[in-house]
């Protein structure tokens, strides 16, 4: 079987909207390499879009998956609980920054975790507005897609989008969105956000600001060192929660366990996914216990969220 053979089969049964970077079908993988169905070996610089930080088929992750699969594949944590979910929550709470009491909950995808972070922020604050940024990517489900910045290909034809989402330029010093030069600018982009509370989105209605520490879809943009401390201070001044979307930047991808550690900023809620699971689908939110406890019983969750095998893989990763 060749790549072309499989690609012809794919075209007949898989929608064109499901994109592919190249007409290559993987057969097996190990560490940093992937071998296709024709025996060609590739160095994988994509890592499953930021998922394989511990490498393909990491032996510890594989062993954890195999051991767990023989014991309990699924029960739904809402019906029969299991230790792995609790142990992973304990681990994530220990990893996440902040000296306050924290809690964690698990879901299936980064987009789902983003949506639940927004749900928690809205419920806890009693406010509806969410401030997102140009160049942001937060997922492809309705609310996450609405937070995502790029219209093509992610949003075109899928409207109407979720309401109460406001947008500001991401701090991009190389091409400054407010026409300044760093560092003499004194971060006028922060002043622009402050001014937007008058003419764009009232701070009294903003539940949260959500940001990627480093943008992943709008180019890999790293804000200046002063930016995140100032944005967090602005949030605290106006009673707005700060959500860090660490789906792609988390778990060592920037040299720290979580990228926000580079700026010494403690988010109210952190969104995690991708490399947390070592290749298995799992995501989560971790943050202030008082916020995560705000939704009523049954307000958070899902059938597969924190699946036993995914939790075992995450703990190994």
């Amino acid at each position: 079987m060749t790549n072309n053979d499989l690609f012809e089969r794919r075209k007949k049964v898989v929608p064109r909207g499901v994109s592919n970077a190249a007409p290559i079908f993987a057969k097996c993988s190990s560490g940093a390499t992937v071998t296709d169905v024709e025996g060609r070996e590739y160095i994988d610089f994509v890592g499953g879009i930021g998922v394989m930080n511990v490498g393909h088929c990491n032996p510890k992750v594989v062993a954890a998956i195999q051991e767990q699969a023989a014991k309990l594949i699924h029960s739904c944590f809402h019906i029969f609980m299991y230790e792995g979910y609790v142990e992973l929550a304990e681990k994530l709470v220990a990893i996440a920054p902040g000296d306050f009491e924290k809690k964690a909950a698990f879901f299936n995808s980064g987009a789902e975790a983003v949506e639940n972070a927004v749900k928690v922020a809205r419920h806890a604050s009693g406010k509806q507005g969410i401030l997102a940024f140009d160049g942001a990517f937060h997922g492809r489900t309705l609310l996450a897609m609405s937070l995502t910045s790029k219209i093509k290909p992610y949003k075109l034809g899928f409207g109407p989008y979720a309401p109460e989402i406001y947008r500001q330029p991401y701090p991009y010093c190389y091409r400054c969105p407010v026409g300044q030069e760093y560092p003499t600018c004194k971060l006028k982009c922060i002043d622009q956000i402050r001014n937007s509370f008058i003419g764009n989105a009232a701070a009294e209605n903003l539940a949260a600001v959500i940001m990627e520490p480093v943008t992943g879809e709008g180019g890999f943009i790293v804000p200046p060192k002063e930016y995140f401390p100032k944005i967090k201070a602005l949030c605290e001044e106006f009673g707005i929660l700060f959500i860090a979307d660490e789906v792609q930047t988390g778990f060592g991808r920037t040299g720290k366990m979580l990228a926000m550690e580079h700026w010494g900023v403690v988010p109210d809620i952190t969104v995690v996914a991708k490399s947390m699971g070592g290749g298995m689908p799992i995501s989560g939110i971790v943050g202030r216990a008082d916020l995560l406890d705000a939704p009523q019983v049954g307000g958070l969750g899902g059938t597969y969220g924190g699946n036993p095998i995914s939790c075992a893989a995450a703990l190994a990763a």
Side-chain angles (χ1 to χ4, degrees), residues 260-278:
M260 275 298 171
E261 295 177 53
H262 289 288
W263 290 275
V265 169
V266 178
D268 297 295
I269 302 171
T270 298
V271 184
V272 291
K274 289 192 182 280
S275 274
M276 178 172 71

Side-chain angles (χ1 to χ4, degrees), residues 217-300:
E217 178 67 22
F220 296 111
I221 302 168
V222 183
K225 61 181 184 297
E226 304 94 340
Y227 185 83
F228 280 120
K230 284 183 177 291
I231 201 79
K232 183 62 161 59
L234 186 70
C235 287
E236 291 175 350
E237 178 183 348
F238 286 94
I240 302 168
L241 298 173
F242 181 66
I243 301 172
D245 182 347
E246 294 253 18
V247 168
Q248 190 158 266
T249 55
F251 301 100
R253 197 159 180 80
T254 67
K256 300 279 189 181
M257 184 61 80
L258 294 168
M260 275 298 171
E261 295 177 53
H262 289 288
W263 290 275
V265 169
V266 178
D268 297 295
I269 302 171
T270 298
V271 184
V272 291
K274 289 192 182 280
S275 274
M276 178 172 71
M280 291 296 291
I282 188 168
S283 65
I285 57 175
V286 58
R288 286 169 39 192
D290 61 315
L291 300 177
L292 269 70
D293 273 339
Q296 63 278 5
V297 174
L300 301 176

Side-chain angles (χ1 to χ4, degrees), residues 137-149:
F137 183 88
H138 296 293
R140 306 189 199 214
T141 51
L142 178 60
L143 176 56
M145 176 187 67
S146 301
L147 292 166
T148 291
S149 174

